[in-house]
Every structure is written in structure tokens, then in C-alpha cells.
Amino acid sequence: MSLQLTDIVKSFKEDLVLDGVSLDVATGETLVLFGPSGAGKTVLLRLIAGVIEPDEGSIRINGADMDGVEPEDRGIGMAFQNFALFPHMDARENIASPLIARRESKTGIKRRVEDVARLLKIDHVLHHKPKELSNGQKQRTALGRALAGEPSILLLDDPLRNVDAKLRFEMRLELPRLLKDQQATVIYVTQDYKEAMALGDRIAVMSGHGIAQIGTPEDIYLSPANTEIARLFGDPVINLLEVTPERGEAGVQVKLSGTAVPINPGYTGSIGHSCILGIRPEGIHFADAGTPGAFPVTIEAETPLNEKTVTLAATENKREILISRPSGTSAPDSGQAHIVIDSGAVILFDRATGNRIALPATDAAKGGAA
Amino acid sequence: MSETMLRLENVDKFYGPIGKGVHAVRNINMDVAKGDIIALLGSSGCGKTSTLRMIAGFEETSRGKIFLSGREVHRLPPVKRHVAMAFEGYSLYPTVNVRDNIAFALKAAKLPEAEVASRVRDVAEMLEISDILDRMPNSISGGQQQRASLARALIRDADLHLLDEPMGQLEPQLRTLLRGRIKHFIKQRGLTAILVTHDQTEANALADRIAVMEGGVLQQYGSPAEIKERPANLFTGTFVGEPPMNVFPVTASTVGDKLHFDLEGGLDLAYASNAFAPDVREAILKRGRVMVGVRPYAVRRSEHGPAARVLTNQWLGDQSHIAAAFANGNLVLVEHDRARVGIGEEIRVELDPADLHVFDLESGKAISHGQELA
Amino acid sequence: MEHTSTLEKVLRGTAITLVILFFMFPIFWIFLMSFQTNETILRVPPSIVFDPTLSNYTALITGKLDTAAGTLEISFMKNLWNSLFLSAASVAVGLVLGVPAAYAFARLKFRGSEDIAFTLLSFRFAPPLLVLLPLTIYFQQIGLADTYLGLIWVYQLIVLPLILWIVRGYFEDIPADVEYAYRIAGHSWGATFRKIALPLAGPGIAAAGLLAFIFAWNNFVFALVLASADKQPVTVGALAFVTASGIQYGQVAAGIVLSILPTFALALYAQRYLVEGLSLGAVKG
């Protein structure tokens, strides 16, 4: 079912949390709400679930206004970050609770609970109380409870936050299939950008009481609306360098360590005024000294990060640059090296507002079907 | 050889009567060199926190000995052990402000005021809490409380600094930033620290050596590179590494001059006779059935090799994570750029013998890593 | 290697024994007294060697009190029954009223909720004597004086704030998310209250009920003024032992033994339940 939020305003006492949030989620879509804690992601989920009421604005599920509709009547399933399992009921009763509420037959409930449990690989612990379950099993039980009633809208509040890395990764691979099978409309809250990119059909980045940018993972990663969002996606973090665009022989260019680096030919911003050049660490490569656009840096430190090697280097005027490359690929081992910037991956931001000012021309080439 | 700061000798922890109660920590032996950062890594309930609390003295050592800086300390109360600890639940003194919380131990030790002030300033700047020093603990966020608690531990002069999940409440961006700074802070001052964490990225980034724990047993104790390249057993191999290592059971045999690994689902990996060193080859063939592990980064798509059907393809900006149905299980592969394979598509994969980790099927102990015996 | 030395264990055991002796001695002494006659009780020096007699208990149960001046009619058993009935009924009414109210105070932050909750608690501040006179007059006017109903009503002053404040704390400890989860699963708030809040706060409700029972049982002043002989609880009825010809220590002791039995039994029974309930309550885990 589709979900529409229109101009939602919500504050707690004097604290304004959401200020005019509008959101349109299509049937069967997985929308990720991403942002730092305190950005109002969880509040938004709770408003949709109906356990709190908005001060202003409307929530529509499949066109029907939810004002005054109790949580139990909204046809929603929800998994909580802290699992919120019923401690006095075993896993079976926990998962069965939405079915019991609908007064389904005993055999029907048993069958559905066991199907869900098998899918989530917890069928062997159904008789355990929550305190006897491992964290991973708790998480799956919570997910099973949310899925059991085959809700048309599924709200998942950072469900992988409290499980270990291995399980989190496995679930990240499994979840999309699980969710597509359910054919539910999913709102997924996370603080982990990898989860957001892996799971979201679209990502809504929340900051400052509202949605700062909404788009596909490509949109957000390749064309972040501002420097703040650019910094939230990607590990290691994007390089942001102050530069001054100028006209060169091959179009617009900037000078880095005295070397002219061509930037987006479609750049329409002002010339001669400084702006922020954003380049992700994987958009920088080591090169031979003679390569066009290559400029010298001093290598300061190298650290491994998930099969990548991250190099911290400094330009001639002591600006720090992070460069990442797949582990095992060669790099200059001396302290001095030359690097080139992939001009197609450059993102430019306004210096005063931090907003992105030009689309890299190679967007179309970078995007496309997964 | 550097000086040993901490030594655990046959340390056991029972909750309940010795020998009968819950055996939470099983016969741990470990040496920590002065100036090292050690990470106790494991999932919840693996015994890492019990171990830390025994070192701190908050938990009785059921059996075995603990030496700190040469002194036998396992019977001493916490105050006499000369250790500093940052707690997972922040445990700030609620009645004094953040500054006084951090400075507490230094003031108690009657250090000159100017020195206390400058040390508080340094640690607060490092942890980005300079702006909340005058606030009371209950008026700051959980993440800020955790950093204040960490500051209170790091500022102290102690033989050993114990940090229990020091960054669990922090946001990912801040955590990434602080990792480097905390490591720098500890190294610069020559402190010895033990960090308890379930986050392997944190362990890898901070620690000189990692102690991997599971089921109360120390599974492996080594440098991050050792643990990655030479996992001692199946548990360590699949626990450390993100995404986790792919493992599948195979039956090894020789046909002609080729070494064959028969996988479940009728798949077959064939390697030339010289693909493995003779002793590795012999060790594998002797067992017949073994567990083969390969890291997701080492799996390559190719024209030949066994087939796998793509289940998901997730692009994370700088990497693609692909899961494929393979040999009655899942095979995960990671590529460093955007992989253009659709769901349901068939791919063929190549597993370089140099990248294979072979484990004993029963005991889980490593047999070989690439060309070398374990 | 044992960490807890034998000496430590012995010392700990001795200390605990001493504390128990200190607290249990009066009760033990009263228990002994209840099997003695006034003469043996009052002899100097006191001794624990005596011929046990059941005369005190028979006197209480038959209602015939033998004094030096003759036989006195007392209604101890009736009083005991009154105590039981009044306390149980008061706690029952208190729970029915107090538990839902506690839930409301814990979950719904309505305007003035704190003030109302505090007002209810403040009933415990005022000395009962302060309200007794007006209360007596009102009760006589509306015909509630010397009725069980009137007493149970007045007992709510003692019972209700206690239940309300204790149980409220337990409800507040239940994470709101657990209740939200149950509602989102499709259950009404009423069902959520019955199936989630009540069971999870069970140990707290039991503890509050037990405490309230003890407080109600031990009440003296309200019953003294508002109840006549046939509605009096033991606390008031025990006054009868102070007779014109002296205090009947043996019978007082027997009376005390009989009157602490119900609370004692209840505490023992509830303790088992409380421990079980509390260890089950992994509400926060």
C-alpha cells in the first residue's frame, strides 16, 4: 500500500523535532530513513504507526486519512531497535501476537508462525523466552513478529543495530529478498550508510527537523545535496578541498598543488571565486609523475579498512587528502607520490552554503541499473 | 623483548560454585606488552567483559593468576590494582559537572590545579566534549556521557586502562573520527590499554593485537593481519572479516595429476598438482573431507569455474557486495567497483588456491592458508 | 584455589545469625510467653523452662478470659475475622482502583497528573487523628459509621496511595515500546493493559498488595473510633486484655501469635511469588 505524509509537524514540549515533513512512498517500495540520532527518524516511524500523534499535517495509508485511527487498526508491522519483545511470552507467542489479535484459527496460527520461523531460521528456538535467546535470535523473533501478520506497511526501526557484524551482514543480504517476498511497503530506519545504500530503493536523508535530500542510492552518493550529506555517505569520508575554478585551455579547471586539474565541463558556477571541491577517496589514484593532471603529495600514513588500504597524504600546502584503493594493489612505497583526481567524480559545493552547485557530467555514465 | 604489563595465567571464571556454576571464562593465558593496545573481540556472552572485569577486580578470579606490572593482583581489591576503567554504562558521578567528573582522580591525587586543567582540556578536545564541560551529566546525551566517561578513564595515570565498549553509543561518523584520535592519544602517552568490543572495525583500527573470544575460550590472540591472514580456526575465520569469509565443505581427491574439491550440489573445483605445496596437499588429502574458506574479496568472476546464481547485488558506493547461490549455500563476493550483474543471472567464479583457507571439518582447526600449513 | 576462605564464610554466617537473633528474639519470646501463665511470665528471674499450657489459646478461642476478678467475655476470634476481612477487602478495593490509576499516571501524562498523584500521596502525610473527628461526624450523618463499608472506605486512605505509588513505578519500568509493539500487532489498549502491563508489573502489584495488607492490618486509630465491638479488628480488640485486674500477658502473647499468623503466612507465600516474578521480569533485557 502507498503511504503519504503531508506537512508533518511534531514537537515534544518546546523541542521541535519535525518541521513540515512530506513523503510519498509507493506500494512495494523500500524507503530508507537515514540520518544522525535526534534527526527525528524514530519519531516519524512512531507517527506512522500511530502510537504518537502529529501536531499538524496528515498521514494517509492507501489514500485513507489516519487521523484518529488507532495503531491496531492501521495494518502495520513494526520491528523495534531494542526488539521490544514480550518478555513473559516465548518466541512462538511473540510471533503469533498479530495473528492472535485477528482471531485466526489455532492451526492457521501454528502454520504461519512456523513458516515465518523457518524463513528466519529460528524454528528451533520457538519455545524459548526472549531472555533465553541470543541477540541474533531476538532480532529475528522481532522481525518475525513484524512479518507474521503480513502487514501492508512494514516499519523497521534500525533492526540490525544491536546485532553483531556477521549477522548484520547476513541480514543485509537476506532482507531485500524477504521484503520483496512480502510485497510490503517498507520504511527502514538506519544510521549505517551501507545498510541504507544496500536496502533502499530510495533514501531520505533526515537532518535539521526535516528531509534534506531524497533519492536513489546513486543520487545520494554521486550527487549529494550538500557537504553534510556528502560526508555522511562513504567510508573513509569524502575529501573536501577549497579551490578556485578558473578558465584553462581545456575548459574549467582548478589548481591543486600548482597543478591544473580539469573539472566538470558543464560547470556553470562563478569563475575566480572559491568553492569546495568534493572528491571521494576512491576517486583519487596514484599515477606516474608525468601523467596529465597528476600532482605531488607526501604519504603520511596507511591503514587497512575492510580490504581497502586508506592512505593519508598531504599536498604541498599541507592539505590532507584521503586516498583509498583495493588492498593488494600496488602503491608507491616512498614518502613521495603523485596522484590524479578522476575529474568525472568531482562534486562542487558552494563555499558559503555547502550546497552542491554543479552536477558531474558523468552522472549518467556512473548511474544505471544494478 | 618489551616489558610485560599484564599476564593472565590459567584464568577461569565461574558464576556460581567453582566447577559447577556457569563457566564463563575458560583457562585463559595471555600476555600484554607495555604500551600495547589489546582488543578483546567477541559477540555478547563470549566472556570478554567477564575477563575485563576480572582484570579490573570487579569480578572475583575463580581460578588462575593475574599479574599486573609483575605484581600478583588477582586477590587485590580494584583500588589497589592501579587500573583505570571506562564503563559501558557511563556511570558518571551525577552530582558534579562533566569537568569535575573527568578531573576527579587527578584532584584526588592532589595534582597541581594548572596541570589538571590542561590535561582535562587536552582530553576533552580530543573527544570533542570541550563545550559540555560545565554541564551536569543528566543534561547531556548518551553519546556525550560515554565520551565523558572515557575521558575520565583516559586522563588517569594507571598501569592499565580498561575500556569496555567505549564507543558503543556514538554515531558512526564520530566513531570513525575518534578511533584514530584515541589510538594516537594512547600511543603518545605510552599507555597500555585493553579494549572490549564487539565491533571488529574498531578492534582492527585501534588494536596492536586482538584476542578473539567465543564461548569463554580465547580462540586466537594475534595482530590484526595475523588474524585476517592466518585464522587459527573456523570460528576466527568466519567471525573476523567484513563481509564474513565464505566457507563450504568439500571432499578432496586426486584424479590423474589434478587435485579435485567436490562441492555440494555437484560442483567441482580442479587444481593443477602444483597449485598447493606438497605438504599442504598431503594434509588435505589425508583428511579427505575438509572445510574450505575463501574471503569475499578473493572470489573473482571468470569465464570458467563453477557456476553460481546471483541473489542480491548491493552497491555501496565504492564496493559491490554480491551474494550468489552456490553449492547449496551462499557465496559472497565483493568487487571494488560497480558490478553490473542482475539478480538471477548466472556467474562463474574462480577461487585462487593461494586464497583458500582449509579447516578440519570436526575440530575446526586451520590446516592451511594458501600455500602454507597452519 | 578457593577465593572465599573458610574463615570468611564462618564470619559471614555468624554475622547473619546475630542479626536474625536480634530481630527474631522478641517474636520468639512472645511465642514462648503464649504458652505460659501470667505467674510464670512475671517470675524473676525469667526462665525458658516452664510447663507449657494451652490455656491462653483456649481462652481466646472460646472467648472466655479468666482474670483474678472473674471471667470476662472477649470477642478475639471475631476481631481476628474482622481484621482479615477488613484488610483483604481494603486491599482488593485498593487494587481494583489503584492499579488502573497507577497505569494512567505512568503512561498518560495528562494535565495535572503529577498534582493529583501527589495529592493522593499527601493523604499519608496528615496524622489520622486530624481527619478523624470530621470523618466521624460525616460518617454518622450518612450512616457509614460502624459499618464494614465505611471502614473499608476509610482504609483506602492508607491502602490506595501505597498501591498507586509502588505500582506506578513498576509500570514506568516497562518499556513503552513493548506495549506499542503489542498494539501495533493489532491489540486494543485494553488488551495491552491486561496481557502486557499487568503480567509484567505482576511482582510489583503483589508487593504493593502485601504491603498494603500489612498496613491495613496494623491500623488502629480509624478502627478504634469508627467501629464498635463487633466490627473491631484485633488491633483494637487487644485493648480488652488490659483489664481492671491487670494485664493478661499470656493471653496478649497468644493473641499476638494468632494475629501475626495471617500476615506471616501471606508474606511467606508472596515471597516465593515475588522472587519468581522478579527473576522472570527480564523486562529491560
Side-chain angles (χ1 to χ4, degrees):
Chain A
M1 292 206 200
S2 66
L3 174 71
Q4 284 101 33
L5 307 186
T6 317
D7 300 323
I8 299 286
V9 177
K10 178 71 187 174
S11 45
F12 292 100
K13 297 212 174 99
E14 263 85 82
D15 284 339
L16 182 65
V17 181
L18 298 172
D19 188 10
V21 171
S22 297
L23 201 58
D24 234 312
V25 191
T27 307
E29 184 183 8
T30 299
L31 180 94
V32 170
L33 290 178
F34 174 89
S37 57
K41 306 183 297 288
T42 298
V43 172
L44 200 56
L45 275 201
R46 275 153 203 251
L47 286 167
I48 298 168
V51 293
I52 51 174
E53 301 273 316
D55 301 339
E56 285 170 41
S58 74
I59 298 168
R60 289 171 175 276
I61 293 179
N62 234 15
D65 195 338
M66 288 293 115
D67 187 25
V69 179
E70 296 291 331
E72 60 266 32
D73 301 325
R74 295 192 179 195
I76 277 173
M78 181 162 175
F80 294 77
Q81 189 196 106
N82 51 16
F83 312 134
L85 294 174
F86 313 130
H88 56 310
M89 300 182 189
D90 63 20
R92 177 185 295 279
E93 291 170 282
N94 266 282
I95 296 173
S97 61
L99 307 167
I100 291 167
R102 290 202 304 238
R103 299 177 197 286
E104 288 192 12
S105 71
K106 274 228 167 72
T107 51
I109 292 176
K110 190 166 156 32
R111 198 172 47 235
R112 176 70 184 148
V113 169
E114 274 158 19
D115 283 350
V116 170
R118 212 167 308 119
L119 194 68
L120 293 166
K121 303 186 189 96
I122 43 169
D123 38 340
H124 57 294
V125 292
L126 280 178
H127 56 286
H128 286 315
K129 292 265 172 71
K131 68 168 179 178
E132 298 158 345
L133 298 173
S134 72
N135 246 9
Q137 290 164 343
K138 279 187 203 162
Q139 188 267 329
R140 283 163 186 262
T141 306
L143 203 57
R145 184 177 66 188
L147 293 174
E150 297 177 272
S152 51
I153 292 180
L154 197 52
L155 307 175
L156 304 177
D157 188 1
D158 217 343
L160 303 184
R161 177 147 202 209
N162 290 321
V163 300
D164 66 50
K166 188 175 161 188
L167 185 70
R168 193 182 316 143
F169 179 78
E170 284 169 7
M171 290 302 292
R172 200 173 84 200
L173 289 179
E174 257 176 67
L175 266 176
R177 274 178 284 155
L178 216 66
L179 299 178
K180 292 298 172 212
D181 285 351
Q182 291 283 321
Q183 299 179 316
T185 304
V186 181
I187 313 282
Y188 189 103
V189 162
T190 183
Q191 286 193 37
D192 179 343
Y193 88 89
K194 290 180 184 170
E195 246 172 79
M197 294 202 45
L199 299 178
D201 293 323
R202 282 190 302 157
I203 301 170
V205 184
M206 297 198 65
S207 104
H209 315 307
I211 294 172
Q213 186 177 5
I214 184 163
T216 62
E218 287 99 67
D219 292 342
I220 309 274
Y221 194 78
L222 301 174
S223 318
N226 55 44
T227 49
E228 187 199 341
I229 295 172
R231 288 176 61 85
L232 290 175
F233 286 77
D235 186 20
V237 69
I238 190 168
N239 294 295
L240 296 171
L241 307 165
E242 202 178 310
V243 294
T244 309
E246 54 185 43
R247 295 227 179 269
E249 302 121 46
V252 187
Q253 62 182 38
V254 297
K255 283 252 168 61
L256 286 167
S257 287
T259 308
V261 177
I263 55 165
N264 191 332
Y267 176 74
T268 53
S270 62
I271 300 291
H273 296 285
S274 69
C275 66
I276 306 284
L277 179 147
I279 180 75
R280 298 204 178 271
E282 68 269 18
I284 307 176
H285 310 286
F286 289 105
D288 296 326
T291 315
F295 60 94
V297 290
T298 314
I299 294 174
E300 294 190 335
E302 291 217 323
T303 44
L305 177 79
N306 298 337
E307 300 293 329
K308 286 184 291 188
T309 304
V310 181
T311 309
L312 176 66
T315 63
E316 272 172 2
N317 41 4
K318 301 284 174 231
R319 281 194 297 207
E320 291 193 328
I321 288 183
L322 288 170
I323 305 149
S324 86
R325 62 175 202 281
S327 288
T329 55
S330 62
D333 39 29
S334 72
Q336 288 294 321
H338 280 77
I339 55 172
V340 287
I341 283 180
D342 175 358
S343 63
V346 164
I347 314 166
L348 293 169
F349 301 95
D350 186 275
R351 203 169 78 94
T353 62
N355 291 336
R356 187 169 51 91
I357 43 177
L359 275 166
T362 44
D363 255 15
K366 280 252 163 188
Chain B
M1 210 37 216
S2 57
E3 187 188 332
T4 301
M5 179 54 86
L6 173 76
R7 163 168 293 172
L8 304 186
E9 262 183 35
N10 303 65
V11 168
D12 271 292
K13 177 70 198 171
F14 287 94
Y15 290 99
I18 293 171
K20 278 180 257 160
V22 179
H23 203 170
V25 174
R26 293 164 185 259
N27 194 32
I28 288 200
N29 286 286
M30 204 166 114
D31 271 14
V32 176
K34 188 172 193 293
D36 265 3
I37 304 175
I38 306 298
L40 294 178
L41 176 67
S43 45
S44 62
C46 73
K48 57 188 193 297
T49 299
S50 297
T51 307
L52 192 79
R53 295 177 69 87
M54 280 192 283
I55 298 168
F58 298 124
E59 228 30 285
E60 254 178 273
T61 307
S62 306
R63 267 199 306 237
K65 292 178 178 171
I66 298 175
F67 298 91
L68 188 57
S69 209
R71 301 173 297 147
E72 200 176 293
V73 297
H74 55 275
R75 282 191 239 215
L76 297 179
V79 284
K80 294 197 178 155
R81 297 195 184 192
H82 211 223
V83 296
M85 180 151 169
F87 295 89
E88 186 180 3
Y90 338 109
S91 71
L92 295 173
Y93 311 119
T95 52
V96 297
N97 66 20
V98 173
R99 182 192 310 279
D100 291 341
N101 258 289
I102 296 172
F104 195 83
L106 300 188
K107 282 187 177 164
K110 304 232 166 18
L111 259 64
E113 230 165 80
E115 191 192 336
V116 173
S118 95
R119 281 169 73 169
V120 170
R121 193 178 337 108
D122 286 352
V123 77
E125 249 168 48
M126 190 266 292
L127 295 171
E128 307 258 321
I129 46 172
S130 307
D131 52 329
I132 53 158
L133 285 177
D134 294 315
R135 305 261 295 268
M136 296 305 275
N138 62 8
S139 73
I140 59 180
S141 74
Q144 290 168 328
Q145 288 187 42
Q146 190 161 40
R147 280 178 278 158
S149 172
L150 182 59
R152 191 178 59 179
L154 285 177
I155 200 172
R156 286 183 53 190
D157 301 306
D159 285 346
L160 191 59
H161 286 75
L162 305 174
L163 316 174
D164 190 1
E165 299 277 8
M167 290 186 267
Q169 301 292 321
L170 306 186
E171 308 207 334
Q173 284 78 26
L174 191 59
R175 220 180 291 174
T176 317
L177 174 76
L178 292 190
R179 264 179 219 139
R181 290 202 191 160
I182 291 170
K183 178 163 187 170
H184 185 71
F185 186 93
I186 292 173
K187 287 289 172 194
Q188 202 182 33
R189 287 161 179 74
L191 310 178
T192 312
I194 299 185
L195 158 87
V196 158
T197 182
H198 68 277
D199 178 355
Q200 49 174 303
T201 311
E202 194 168 300
N204 275 315
L206 274 168
D208 298 300
R209 304 188 80 189
I210 298 175
V212 181
M213 289 188 71
E214 172 66 11
V217 176
L218 181 59
Q219 304 283 340
Q220 189 169 2
Y221 183 41
S223 71
E226 256 165 39
I227 284 176
K228 199 186 99 200
E229 284 153 26
R230 305 180 62 84
N233 55 37
L234 203 53
F235 176 81
T236 313
T238 53
F239 185 75
V240 183
E242 206 182 331
M245 182 190 274
N246 297 295
V247 289
F248 28 86
V250 306
T251 310
S253 60
T254 40
V255 179
D257 61 345
K258 292 214 160 176
L259 178 65
H260 282 266
F261 285 160
D262 290 322
L263 300 155
E264 280 178 32
L267 296 178
D268 174 41
L269 294 166
Y271 292 106
S273 57
N274 59 354
F276 292 93
D279 49 350
V280 172
R281 184 187 160 95
E282 196 183 319
I284 294 171
L285 282 170
K286 199 175 79 192
R287 288 178 179 78
R289 243 179 117 58
V290 290
M291 202 66 135
V292 166
V294 59
R295 298 222 177 261
Y297 298 89
V299 182
R300 286 189 191 82
R301 282 191 280 155
S302 75
E303 303 282 301
H304 315 287
R309 188 166 300 279
V310 175
L311 297 170
T312 49
N313 176 6
Q314 299 178 344
W315 179 64
L316 305 179
D318 58 337
Q319 291 181 340
S320 294
H321 290 185
I322 301 164
F326 178 78
N328 294 349
N330 277 358
L331 181 75
V332 176
L333 50 153
V334 172
E335 299 188 357
H336 284 283
D337 45 29
R338 187 147 190 199
R340 311 231 169 250
V341 286
I343 289 165
E345 211 173 289
E346 191 173 88
I347 54 170
R348 289 183 176 276
V349 294
E350 193 181 335
L351 306 176
D352 188 335
D355 295 321
L356 296 187
H357 301 268
V358 183
F359 302 95
D360 189 276
L361 204 58
E362 267 99 59
S363 68
K365 282 213 175 71
I367 298 168
S368 67
H369 306 289
Q371 293 291 342
E372 287 170 44
L373 280 178
Chain C
M1 186 196 66
E2 285 280 341
H3 200 102
T4 326
S5 66
T6 325
L7 180 71
E8 214 174 308
K9 275 182 187 159
V10 170
L11 283 176
R12 198 178 295 166
T14 319
I16 291 172
T17 314
L18 280 174
V19 170
I20 290 176
L21 272 180
F22 182 78
F23 283 105
M24 290 303 284
F25 182 75
I27 293 170
F28 174 70
W29 197 249
I30 284 167
F31 183 71
L32 290 185
M33 273 167 67
S34 71
F35 293 102
Q36 298 176 48
T37 58
N38 243 14
E39 292 77 58
T40 46
I41 292 169
L42 294 172
R43 76 192 155 175
V44 181
S47 158
I48 42 171
V49 186
F50 58 90
D51 288 329
T53 166
L54 285 174
S55 63
N56 297 319
Y57 288 97
T58 41
L60 287 177
I61 290 164
T62 54
K64 302 249 186 303
L65 191 58
D66 293 314
T67 70
T71 305
L72 214 69
E73 291 277 330
I74 56 158
S75 46
F76 180 79
M77 291 316 283
K78 176 77 180 162
N79 291 340
L80 196 61
W81 159 249
N82 282 342
S83 270
L84 256 175
F85 174 75
L86 283 172
S87 307
S90 302
V91 170
V93 171
L95 287 175
V96 168
L97 296 175
V99 171
Y103 186 69
F105 284 125
R107 280 287 180 254
L108 316 169
K109 294 291 172 216
F110 49 91
R111 191 189 304 264
S113 62
E114 283 306 314
D115 302 329
I116 297 171
F118 187 77
T119 307
L120 279 166
L121 183 69
S122 71
F123 293 160
R124 303 278 301 147
F125 301 162
L129 283 171
L130 210 67
V131 289
L132 211 52
L133 187 64
L135 210 57
T136 317
I137 296 168
Y138 288 144
F139 269 36
Q140 276 163 357
Q141 299 252 327
I142 55 176
L144 279 173
D146 198 22
T147 61
Y148 285 127
L149 184 66
L151 277 173
I152 291 169
W153 189 352
V154 176
Y155 272 29
Q156 294 310 312
L157 284 176
I158 306 165
V159 167
L160 205 51
L162 207 68
I163 290 176
L164 195 85
W165 277 80
I166 294 177
V167 176
R168 177 189 181 181
Y170 276 80
F171 280 137
E172 278 171 348
D173 278 352
I174 302 173
D177 279 354
V178 171
E179 290 181 18
Y180 289 159
Y182 201 67
R183 290 206 63 186
I184 292 168
H187 303 265
S188 65
W189 72 262
T192 307
F193 175 66
R194 286 196 315 275
K195 294 286 171 60
I196 302 292
L198 277 188
L200 292 180
I205 295 170
L210 178 67
L211 263 179
F213 186 90
I214 292 168
F215 274 82
W217 185 278
N218 288 343
N219 181 265
F220 176 75
V221 178
F222 286 132
L224 175 71
V225 177
L226 291 171
S228 66
D230 69 323
K231 306 269 177 354
Q232 270 169 358
V234 267
T235 41
V236 180
L239 277 180
F241 299 122
V242 184
T243 62
S245 55
I247 299 168
Q248 305 303 311
Y249 289 104
Q251 278 134 4
V252 171
I256 289 171
V257 169
L258 285 180
S259 65
I260 62 173
L261 269 180
T263 27
F264 197 68
L266 189 66
L268 274 183
Y269 167 77
Q271 186 200 25
R272 265 203 345 239
Y273 174 76
L274 285 179
V275 170
E276 190 185 303
L278 288 171
S279 58
L280 178 123
V283 177
K284 284 173 175 169

